[in-house]
Amino acid sequence: METTSFLLLRLAVAISMFGHGLVRLPKLVTFSKWMIGSFENSMLSKFIVTPFSYILPIAEFTIGLLLILGLLTKPSLVAGGFVMLALLFGTSMIENWEAIPSQLIHVAIFALLLHFIDSNSWAIDTLIKK
């Protein structure tokens, strides 16, 4: 039962990340312009926001896909956690307090999954180990 719970939680956060990346990739330039505009009045410079705005959808898509497959699960969970920490920082810089609970939940799920990584049996990682 523990492995099924882990799978459901892994897939939930994976689909969230994958979906965020998937819808942003086809409109990457538009997304980047929106993000740069959102940070116009923040302490973060365009020099930092611009590359992050292009990297974020690729990272979300890749992390989500790897987690769906259960491939490189542990590094993907760590990467996902760090992506969410970066988003939390950025969200704080633009005072978008409404978005923070969702981002904190994502971080908590990544941390929980890392804590119970030994329950990751429904995964390509497990097939590779055999």
Side-chain angles (χ1 to χ4, degrees):
M1 192 65 160
E2 185 178 297
T3 59
T4 305
S5 299
F6 186 93
L7 174 66
L8 290 173
L9 200 53
R10 189 189 86 213
L11 289 176
V13 79
I15 290 167
S16 176
M17 295 296 283
F18 181 79
H20 274 85
L22 185 64
V23 299
R24 291 173 174 166
L25 285 174
K27 55 182 181 183
L28 195 53
V29 173
T30 304
F31 173 75
S32 177
K33 287 178 184 175
W34 169 81
M35 188 173 225
I36 292 165
S38 296
F39 282 86
E40 236 170 23
N41 298 318
S42 77
M43 295 170 48
L44 297 176
S45 74
K46 191 175 178 180
F47 178 75
I48 294 170
V49 176
T50 301
F52 186 78
S53 70
Y54 282 98
I55 293 167
L56 177 61
I58 296 165
E60 290 170 327
F61 178 83
T62 304
I63 290 165
L65 180 61
L66 289 170
L67 289 174
I68 287 169
L69 297 172
L71 181 61
L72 301 172
T73 305
K74 190 172 183 178
S76 296
L77 291 171
V78 171
F82 279 110
V83 166
M84 295 313 299
L85 291 173
L87 286 171
L88 272 165
F89 180 74
T91 300
S92 297
M93 293 296 98
I94 60 172
E95 300 181 75
N96 182 2
W97 310 122
E98 297 82 26
I100 288 184
S102 172
Q103 293 169 344
L104 286 171
I105 290 167
H106 277 76
V107 172
I109 291 170
F110 282 120
L112 188 64
L113 288 169
L114 277 168
H115 184 76
F116 291 102
I117 193 69
D118 292 337
S119 298
N120 187 35
S121 61
W122 294 84
I124 291 176
D125 289 339
T126 305
L127 296 173
I128 293 171
K129 285 182 186 176
K130 289 183 179 183

